Amino acid sequence: MTYRVGLTGGIGSGKSTVAAEFAHLGVTVSDADAISHRLTGPDGDALPAIASAFGAEMIDTTGALDRAQMRQRVFSDDTARRRLEGILHPLIRARMFAEAAAIGSPYALLMIPLLLETGQQSLVDRVLVVDLPEAMQISRVQARSGLEPNETQRIMASQVSRAARLDAADDIIDNSGEPHDLKAQVEQLHQTYLKLAHQHAG
């Protein structure tokens, strides 16, 4: 079985940037969010179960999930959120494992933003956390997407705490510095993961 590294981090931490650096080194990256979008896009495989659980009105005129309506539905209703996760997570997991199994590189990077929040650590052999101070998270999210600081803080409050994330990490990338600092950290970890993957295969 392919050696799997789980990449996670809070909003605005730079997960996609880190994943791109690994991809430049020839590592296969499987992105849970991208898979989720495909599953809930027009004629996506998750839509029949979603329509059955939540009603046909959750599917928009293009045949895709009405994301705004669904967000509103699950935001204040934990039962609804868990029901949606119960539909999506097994499908995402199956796709990620299929992508990881079909790779040419010695290990796969599984980018799962809510890895810890959804208790999916057992899916991976190693947990890699992208970290930076919370004030930097807020400013980077605002610069990237225009979200107000209080909105970003609300999202951060719904995720596991920075301390809990760091505690769960096998490896940590500090993304508070310059791009070349990030590259050096990724290259160092890449060598570590190649060794671990080799031991795992043996």
Side-chain angles (χ1 to χ4, degrees):
M1 191 183 286
T2 308
Y3 193 78
R4 296 188 292 254
V5 176
L7 172 66
T8 194
I11 184 173
S13 59
K15 296 178 292 295
S16 298
T17 307
V18 169
E21 289 292 345
F22 276 100
H24 286 320
L25 296 171
V27 178
T28 296
V29 177
S30 187
D31 180 350
D33 279 354
I35 293 170
S36 177
H37 271 74
R38 290 199 296 273
L39 289 169
T40 55
D43 303 317
D45 288 352
L47 295 178
I50 289 172
S52 172
F54 294 96
E57 68 274 11
M58 283 295 173
I59 312 302
D60 68 18
T61 52
T62 70
L65 176 67
D66 185 331
R67 294 181 204 285
Q69 194 180 173
M70 181 58 83
R71 252 196 309 273
Q72 208 171 4
R73 177 75 184 273
V74 301
F75 179 67
S76 56
D77 183 344
D78 278 351
T79 306
R81 181 177 53 77
R82 280 194 295 272
R83 193 183 308 152
L84 180 64
E85 288 174 352
I87 294 167
L88 285 176
H89 288 171
L91 293 170
I92 293 169
R93 196 157 51 235
R95 294 285 170 92
M96 290 192 107
F97 281 10
E99 288 180 3
I103 66 170
S105 55
Y107 69 92
L109 194 73
L110 275 53
M111 186 159 70
I112 310 177
L114 299 179
L115 177 74
L116 304 174
E117 288 82 352
T118 52
Q120 297 188 85
Q121 298 94 304
S122 61
L123 302 184
V124 296
D125 299 293
R126 205 159 175 92
V127 174
L128 168 59
V129 167
V130 186
D131 179 61
L132 74 170
E134 291 175 355
M136 289 184 81
Q137 273 183 269
I138 293 166
S139 62
R140 285 188 186 180
V141 171
Q142 190 167 19
R144 183 187 71 194
S145 56
L147 273 186
E148 289 302 316
N150 62 340
E151 182 71 8
T152 306
Q153 283 167 325
R154 186 181 62 73
I155 293 167
M156 286 166 65
S158 73
Q159 299 180 337
V160 300
S161 69
R162 183 185 182 196
R165 197 179 287 117
L166 293 175
D167 193 47
D170 294 301
D171 304 295
I172 297 163
I173 282 184
D174 175 4
N175 194 19
S176 62
E178 299 300 316
H180 62 83
D181 297 331
L182 190 66
K183 197 168 185 153
Q185 291 179 78
V186 168
E187 285 173 356
Q188 192 173 1
L189 281 169
H190 178 57
Q191 295 307 317
T192 299
Y193 296 152
L194 286 174
K195 283 186 197 135
L196 289 168
H198 182 69
Q199 289 164 9
H200 178 77

